[in-house]
Amino acid sequence: MTALTELAEARMAGSYGNKAAGLAREYGHVAVPPGFVIPGSWICQGMQPGLRSELDGLLAELTSQPRNALEALLTRLEAVLDRVRFSAGQVRQLHALAHRLRLGPVLVVRSSSADEDGSSLSFAGVFDSVVDVDEPDLVRAVEQVWRSGFSRQALAQYRRIGRPPATDHMSVLVQRAIAPQVAGVAFSEPSGDCYLEWTPGHASGLVAGLAVPTGERLSRSSAADGWRQQLRTALAALSEGGGGHDVEWAWDGRLLWIVQVRPRTAGLTGQPAPDGVRITPLYEGDLHDLVLGECAGEYTRIRAKRRLARAIAISQGARVPGGWLANWDRTGPVEPLTAWSKQLPGRLVIDSSPTERQYIIGSAELADTVRRLADAAPGEGDFAFLCREYIRGETALLSTVATDGSVYVEASEEGLLALNRGFGSAHPITGEALNALLGPEQARALEGTTREHARRIHPRATLEWVVEDGSLLFVDYSAPVTGPAAPKGGHGVTGARVLSAGVASGRVQVLSIDDILTESSIAPIISIAQPVSAENEALLLSHLRQRLSLDGTGVIIAVSRPIAVLSMLLGVVDGFLFEEGALLSHLGILLREAGVPAAIVGTGNLPPEGSFVEIVHGTVLAVTDDAHPAHSPAGG
């Protein structure tokens, strides 16, 4: 049986996981908290007879089972995992080694999977780590961390990347806990300089993106003392041989400890990587020395908008899709791109410039797509592009905090893109139905994330989610610039629902949705986060003006769906009526931001062309021309 291994000896990532192996390789060069590793093979080989083969068989079915059979498979897996227990002999070994190494009385128990902290898939927030563990609770914490390697969210991630986890992939790292006065992250560079961010106390909020850190650059020539000098010395020791590192560190008032270290082996050095591809995480990573090229604007916008939002979601137990900034040496072969694509999820979104963006492709198309974009792009040398995991999911969810303090959720089986662009319909979902769809744990993650966004980002932030294979993923959010009222349910004389509160009156102009409006609403030129260009806005307004009379006042537009392109009419018309649509569609959010009254009246209930109506907070009243002579037709 593979033995428990002191951290200093656990250098093989395949046996002990990337996290433990990264620290083990630096043990003795820098100060690393002492500890030991519980190999996944040690846990598996101690299973009862037949249990290992049963678990192997169930994991092998993960990617072959159809979606409608996945829930039954997960239930069977959970039943098998419930039977995995350490033997009395294993328990004695764990406590004996912790006692011999004098790790207590407080420990940290962390995941160390062979799959996490990789060059392209980090499994960020998927596996558990448990801090401040009292030594008597060691076994319980180890079992929790090991089981997180086979949790529903972990298995959903493996299913998306197209392979099951190895039964022994999850090792567990046990270390002495550090009580830091200052802690943070640091990114060393080939020049010997480093960029660091730090915060008083623990760095858990900082690495999650929830704390506002102090950032500074520490050069080889700058004066430094105390923990800064110790950090610079540690980074110099780590970077012997010319490489750079990404580390987490903690200073206890006397000694600076390295608690996690990731060599930037994925081409994040000052020279082009041997394989011609260099990558860094798009959201949670940092630029280091990669070039941004023509995708600089998209890189900045996406990170500025989503970094904190994703960190909030992770802190609440929600999962998030992956994304990467990549540099490809366009003078070299495409084979490195092909090799990298095999490590990525099956569907991707590629952005390389303000005009070449949101290409949705299969991962097998990555090399050809990047080569084509690079050939058409100006410049030489490294070609920069963004690569994001594309998530469609079976069900889309939108959530926000309502005025009564409850979390309001809408669901749609037509997908998030259709919902956002106004082509999909959505229906409110109760808390009971949400629990049935997601399970109590994921439902709590959705509600907690929504409330934290309302508290930290905007009180009326609208969150976008997808459900795929029973697993919930946080995708994005939108936040109004002004302070519109949150959506409320409401029924008027025509059975309408409030889409945007307010009062308006005018003549109805019925607009049918043609191919131009459809394509414009689906295209990436319409986005809450990115304004429409002046050229596109002029073209769309011109098309709409050809079909509508927009020169007067008192114009109410009646249309089947709240498609996104109708945002061009904000400030031009007085109100909107829709047959169907989601209360939290992008256009609905924009209407509430702008204070434009709008209602959803139901299929077949749009008033006829030329009729005079009043919209009163969702109630739609048809008014005779006699009652409003100023609005009667010419000659009437």
Side-chain angles (χ1 to χ4, degrees):
M1 181 185 296
T2 306
L4 301 178
T5 305
E6 292 190 34
L7 178 56
E9 305 300 322
R11 295 186 179 89
M12 294 183 295
S15 300
Y16 304 107
N18 288 313
K19 193 176 295 179
L23 289 172
R25 285 189 290 264
E26 306 303 339
Y27 208 95
H29 295 91
V30 295
V32 174
F36 65 92
V37 184
I38 307 167
S41 57
W42 184 85
I43 298 173
C44 292
Q45 291 177 26
M47 292 180 185
Q48 298 173 356
L51 195 58
R52 167 69 184 267
S53 59
E54 192 175 350
L55 186 55
D56 287 341
L58 289 174
L59 290 173
E61 295 180 37
L62 181 66
T63 55
S64 61
Q65 288 282 358
R67 288 178 176 174
N68 58 6
L70 187 60
E71 184 61 32
L73 173 63
L74 293 174
T75 301
R76 291 160 60 200
L77 272 168
E78 287 180 348
V80 172
L81 291 169
D82 283 340
R83 293 157 51 197
V84 177
R85 291 289 184 272
F86 290 127
S87 67
Q90 287 179 310
V91 170
R92 285 194 296 271
Q93 290 182 57
L94 289 173
H95 283 293
L97 186 52
H99 180 73
R100 180 170 66 82
L101 297 177
R102 299 179 179 178
L103 302 183
V106 182
L107 309 169
V108 173
V109 181
R110 309 173 74 189
S111 65
S112 184
S113 169
D115 295 322
E116 68 180 324
D117 291 339
S119 60
S120 60
L121 292 171
S122 69
F123 283 82
V126 173
F127 306 131
D128 286 355
S129 289
V130 186
V131 299
D132 296 334
V133 177
D134 293 330
E135 193 168 348
D137 297 326
L138 172 61
V139 172
R140 185 184 307 168
V142 170
E143 288 178 342
Q144 174 185 332
V145 171
W146 181 79
R147 284 194 56 160
S148 73
F150 308 95
S151 66
R152 290 183 173 234
Q153 62 177 0
L155 294 176
Q157 174 79 345
Y158 280 108
R159 184 175 168 91
R160 277 200 306 279
I161 65 176
R163 65 173 176 84
T167 310
D168 60 358
H169 81 96
M170 177 59 77
S171 297
V172 180
L173 172 60
V174 180
Q175 290 178 281
R176 178 188 299 160
I178 302 298
Q181 293 185 11
V182 176
V185 294
F187 310 102
S188 64
E189 301 168 355
S191 64
D193 295 351
C194 73
Y195 174 73
L196 62 109
E197 294 180 343
W198 58 271
T199 186
H202 285 282
S204 56
L206 179 119
V207 296
L210 299 173
V212 178
T214 298
E216 60 184 272
R217 179 168 292 276
L218 193 62
S219 70
R220 289 179 300 173
S221 57
S222 61
D225 55 16
W227 61 262
R228 289 179 177 81
Q229 179 57 46
Q230 290 188 39
L231 176 62
R232 189 162 63 184
T233 301
L235 292 174
L238 290 172
S239 300
E240 288 178 1
H245 285 76
D246 171 358
V247 307
E248 295 176 24
W249 53 271
W251 184 65
D252 63 8
R254 184 184 63 87
L255 188 63
L256 187 133
W257 300 89
I258 301 298
V259 296
Q260 188 161 335
V261 56
R262 292 176 288 269
R264 302 217 299 268
T265 55
L268 303 182
T269 61
Q271 302 298 322
D275 61 5
V277 178
R278 304 186 296 157
I279 60 172
T280 190
L282 171 59
Y283 302 102
E284 287 75 40
D286 278 86
L287 178 60
H288 302 295
D289 58 338
L290 271 68
V291 301
L292 287 173
E294 294 295 311
C295 67
E298 280 298 285
Y299 175 86
T300 302
R301 180 185 68 81
I302 289 173
R303 281 172 57 89
K305 180 171 186 274
R306 296 182 182 172
R307 190 171 186 177
L308 176 59
R310 286 166 58 93
I312 290 173
I314 292 170
S315 74
Q316 295 296 312
R319 296 181 51 248
V320 294
W324 305 270
L325 165 67
N327 284 182
W328 172 56
D329 182 1
R330 69 180 94 190
T331 64
V334 298
E335 283 73 17
L337 289 170
T338 302
W340 183 43
S341 69
K342 294 178 180 178
Q343 306 174 44
L344 297 173
R347 299 288 288 173
L348 305 169
V349 182
I350 304 298
D351 308 276
S352 64
S353 75
T355 56
E356 304 288 352
R357 56 187 297 269
Q358 292 194 0
Y359 285 91
I360 301 173
I361 63 171
S363 57
E365 304 171 74
L366 177 69
D368 288 342
T369 301
V370 172
R371 179 171 57 183
R372 176 177 59 80
L373 292 172
D375 288 345
E380 299 177 351
D382 283 347
F383 175 70
F385 64 96
L386 307 183
C387 178
R388 293 179 282 155
E389 183 179 1
Y390 175 72
I391 301 294
R392 185 181 186 278
E394 300 95 7
T395 303
L397 299 175
L398 300 175
S399 66
T400 191
V401 175
T403 52
D404 64 0
S406 64
V407 174
Y408 174 83
V409 183
E410 288 188 341
S412 172
E413 289 69 38
E414 297 173 70
L416 191 58
L417 181 62
L419 200 60
N420 283 342
R421 300 311 184 196
F423 293 96
S425 60
H427 53 86
I429 184 170
T430 65
E432 183 179 355
L434 191 66
N435 278 334
L437 175 66
L438 302 176
E441 183 177 348
Q442 292 191 112
R444 285 193 297 270
L446 180 146
E447 292 185 358
T449 303
T450 304
R451 293 186 188 280
E452 279 297 292
H453 272 72
R455 186 176 72 86
R456 298 177 61 86
I457 292 180
H458 195 283
R460 283 167 293 281
T462 299
L463 280 60
E464 301 175 359
W465 309 79
V466 296
V467 182
E468 184 173 76
D469 294 335
S471 182
L472 177 72
L473 287 94
F474 169 75
V475 178
D476 201 359
Y477 78 97
S478 60
V481 177
T482 58
K488 305 180 199 176
H491 296 278
V493 295
T494 61
R497 287 190 296 162
V498 177
L499 182 61
S500 176
V503 178
S505 61
R507 293 280 176 190
V508 171
Q509 296 189 39
V510 178
L511 176 68
S512 60
I513 299 176
D514 62 9
D515 290 343
I516 293 177
L517 297 180
T518 298
E519 293 170 3
S520 298
S521 290
I522 294 175
I525 60 171
I526 301 291
S527 171
I528 279 184
Q530 178 170 322
V532 179
S533 70
E535 179 182 4
N536 284 325
E537 183 175 0
L539 290 173
L540 291 172
L541 272 174
S542 175
H543 177 71
L544 289 167
R545 286 184 181 280
Q546 290 175 11
R547 305 185 51 200
L548 299 167
S549 176
L550 302 176
D551 294 331
T553 59
V555 176
I556 306 294
I557 301 298
V559 62
S560 61
R561 303 272 186 175
I563 59 173
V565 71
L566 297 180
S567 63
M568 298 294 96
L569 298 178
L570 295 180
V572 179
V573 304
D574 297 86
F576 288 87
L577 298 175
F578 304 102
E579 287 188 297
E580 299 294 343
L583 296 183
L584 302 182
S585 63
H586 278 183
L587 181 62
I589 295 167
L590 292 173
L591 290 170
R592 291 190 290 275
E593 290 177 7
V596 177
I600 298 172
V601 300
T603 302
N605 292 332
L606 288 177
E609 175 79 20
S611 60
F612 190 92
V613 298
E614 290 184 348
I615 305 173
V616 183
H617 301 299
T619 298
V620 181
L621 302 172
V623 183
T624 64
D625 286 333
D626 292 339
H628 289 271
H631 294 281
S632 25

